């Protein structure tokens, strides 16, 4: 595989031939399968939220935070695909960077890295349109099954796509989850992908999303205390300023990295730079003016 050539092609707006992307998927699966459910990462590192197929905004993200080939390390919190016009390009570039510099790219699973969700919200359609069938989509979903569930930065910052689960008190319990499967409809794995913090509740409440839970400050403080954490960093929710601390103690934060989400929400995006010794610095950016679209496919109107 000529990874540098492929990276250059994809960054130029092309997508790889079917044989190449299948080969890439197999290679990255082998890398990911050697990684833990909870990947250990050291600072300095940049944490990124949802991308959702907004490829040219992903390029701006790297321009803002620093290029991987220059040594910058990243954690992506999932939801790479669906909703935006260029999910293939987003996912391909992230997989190429993972293949080229595996120790600099930590890719976590989000609720959209799922067969069921991607058949509804755009990625399946895009694969079918660009490749004339579903084989590329199938290969990509096999990669989804290999993605790590969470990351732990300097043993102090817990990174996950969604939130917490009433069945999980410790990070060690997450390490024992069988992750190489489709995200289940319920249970601890599903909760980590789908749950949200909420200032209006203190305990556990069933989520209006139809999966996962809503949890409050007491639950968050308890999980952080049990695991000796300073901060939970998660994505999953659109926030207009690009990031949001949910409770007064600033012990859980949402990072959102898709500016002007769905090309109409008008929101800012952010990345979170974690420096030694765990200093937090948000970098906020707006959408790029270059938003090439292969087609304006109809999407169901939900904003998960």
């Amino acid at each position: 595989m000529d990874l540098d050539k492929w990276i250059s092609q994809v960054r130029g707006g092309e997508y790889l031939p079917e044989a190449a992307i299948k080969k890439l998927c197999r290679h990255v699966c082998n890398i990911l399968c050697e990684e833990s459910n909870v990947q250990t990462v050291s600072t300095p590192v940049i944490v990124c939220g949802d991308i959702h197929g907004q490829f040219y905004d992903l390029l701006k993200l790297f321009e803002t935070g620093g290029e991987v080939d220059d040594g910058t390390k990243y954690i992506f919190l999932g939801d790479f695909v669906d909703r935006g016009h260029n999910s293939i390009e987003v996912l391909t570039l992230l997989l190429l960077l993972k293949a080229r510099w595996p120790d600099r790219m930590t890719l976590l699973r989000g609720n959209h890295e799922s067969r069921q969700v991607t058949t509804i919200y755009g990625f399946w359609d895009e694969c079918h349109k660009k490749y004339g069938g579903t084989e590329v989509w199938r290969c990509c979903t096999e990669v989804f099954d290999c993605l790590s569930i969470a990351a732990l930065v300097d043993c102090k910052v817990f990174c996950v796509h969604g939130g917490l689960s009433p069945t999980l008190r410790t990070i060690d319990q997450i390490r024992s989850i069988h992750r190489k499967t489709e995200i289940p409809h319920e249970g601890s794995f599903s909760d980590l992908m789908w749950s949200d913090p909420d200032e209006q509740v203190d305990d556990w409440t069933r989520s209006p999303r139809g999966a996962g839970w809503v949890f409050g400050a007491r639950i968050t403080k308890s999980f952080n205390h049990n695991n000796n954490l300073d901060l939970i960093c998660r994505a999953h929710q659109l926030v207009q300023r690009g990031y949001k601390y949910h409770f007064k103690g600033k012990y859980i934060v949402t990072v959102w990295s898709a500016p002007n989400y769905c090309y109409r929400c008008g929101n800012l995006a952010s990345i979170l730079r974690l420096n030694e010794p765990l200093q937090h610095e948000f970098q906020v950016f707006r959408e790029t003016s270059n938003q090439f679209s292969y087609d304006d496919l109809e999407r169901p109107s939900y904003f998960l």
Side-chain angles (χ1 to χ4, degrees):
M1 293 187 297
D2 190 340
L3 294 174
D4 290 330
K5 178 182 176 182
W6 289 356
I7 289 170
S8 179
Q9 285 181 272
V10 173
R11 289 183 70 98
E14 301 178 34
Y15 48 93
L16 297 182
E18 181 170 332
I21 196 167
K22 287 181 177 179
K23 189 173 184 179
L24 174 65
C25 286
R26 289 193 296 269
H27 179 71
V28 174
C29 277
N30 290 334
I31 296 173
L32 293 172
C33 284
E34 296 299 315
E35 297 185 345
S36 168
N37 281 2
V38 183
Q39 273 296 95
T40 300
V41 181
S42 60
T43 51
V45 66
I46 292 175
V47 183
C48 308
D50 296 27
I51 304 298
H52 278 303
Q54 296 183 202
F55 176 69
Y56 293 96
D57 294 322
L58 175 63
L59 297 183
K60 187 166 185 180
L61 182 155
F62 286 126
E63 179 184 322
T64 302
E67 298 294 344
V68 182
D69 59 353
D70 290 333
T72 307
K73 291 193 304 185
Y74 283 92
I75 299 171
F76 283 85
L77 300 176
D79 278 14
F80 317 127
V81 300
D82 285 339
R83 308 301 279 164
H85 298 312
N86 301 102
S87 291
I88 283 287
E89 289 86 344
V90 165
L91 183 62
T92 303
L93 180 58
L94 293 177
L95 296 184
L96 284 168
L97 295 173
K98 179 66 177 178
R100 181 68 174 83
W101 295 284
D103 294 335
R104 300 179 193 173
M105 291 287 290
T106 300
L107 303 178
L108 306 184
R109 195 169 189 174
N111 63 301
H112 277 260
E113 278 69 60
S114 153
R115 291 165 182 81
Q116 181 179 6
V117 174
T118 54
T119 56
I120 301 171
Y121 295 105
F123 185 53
W124 185 95
D125 294 317
E126 185 179 333
C127 290
H128 194 277
K129 184 174 185 69
K130 291 182 175 178
Y131 289 101
T134 61
E135 278 299 299
V136 167
W137 173 82
R138 184 186 61 77
C139 289
C140 292
T141 60
E142 290 174 359
V143 176
F144 296 163
D145 290 344
C146 299
L147 292 167
S148 294
I149 297 173
L152 188 60
V153 181
D154 289 355
C155 298
K156 287 295 185 178
V157 178
F158 177 67
C159 299
V160 69
H161 177 72
L164 304 178
S165 171
T167 63
L168 298 171
R169 294 187 68 254
T170 68
I171 291 173
D172 280 344
Q173 290 175 284
I174 300 173
R175 302 183 201 276
S176 65
I177 292 173
H178 174 62
R179 79 172 193 263
K180 295 181 179 69
T181 184
E182 175 73 349
I183 298 171
H185 295 293
E186 58 184 11
S188 56
F189 189 0
S190 174
D191 296 341
L192 293 166
M193 300 295 105
W194 284 93
S195 295
D196 298 295
D198 192 325
E199 293 83 351
Q200 305 304 314
V201 303
D202 197 43
D203 209 318
W204 295 103
T205 303
R206 276 292 183 185
S207 173
R209 295 178 184 268
W213 298 80
V214 172
F215 57 93
R218 185 180 66 81
I219 297 298
T220 309
K221 286 193 285 187
S222 176
F223 185 86
N224 285 5
H225 175 77
N226 291 342
N227 296 280
N228 195 27
L229 298 173
D230 290 341
L231 181 68
I232 297 171
C233 186
R234 44 90 66 179
H236 193 45
Q237 281 178 296
L238 170 64
V239 286
Q240 288 297 124
R241 294 197 315 166
Y243 67 93
K244 177 183 178 182
Y245 287 103
H246 290 271
F247 308 120
K248 289 182 180 179
K250 291 190 174 182
Y251 34 79
I252 185 168
V253 66
T254 294
V255 180
W256 184 266
S257 300
N260 193 28
Y261 180 43
C262 291
Y263 316 111
R264 65 177 183 270
C265 287
N267 61 284
L268 299 173
S270 79
I271 52 179
L272 172 58
R273 189 181 295 272
L274 297 176
N275 301 310
E276 265 185 302
L278 284 180
Q279 298 170 331
H280 307 162
E281 177 191 354
F282 289 96
Q283 293 179 268
V284 175
F285 61 99
R286 296 184 180 275
E287 71 275 16
T288 179
S289 59
N290 184 358
Q291 294 292 352
F292 170 77
S293 167
Y294 69 91
D295 194 6
D296 286 327
L297 291 176
E298 289 295 320
R299 302 282 189 263
S301 56
Y302 98 124
F303 283 84
L304 293 188

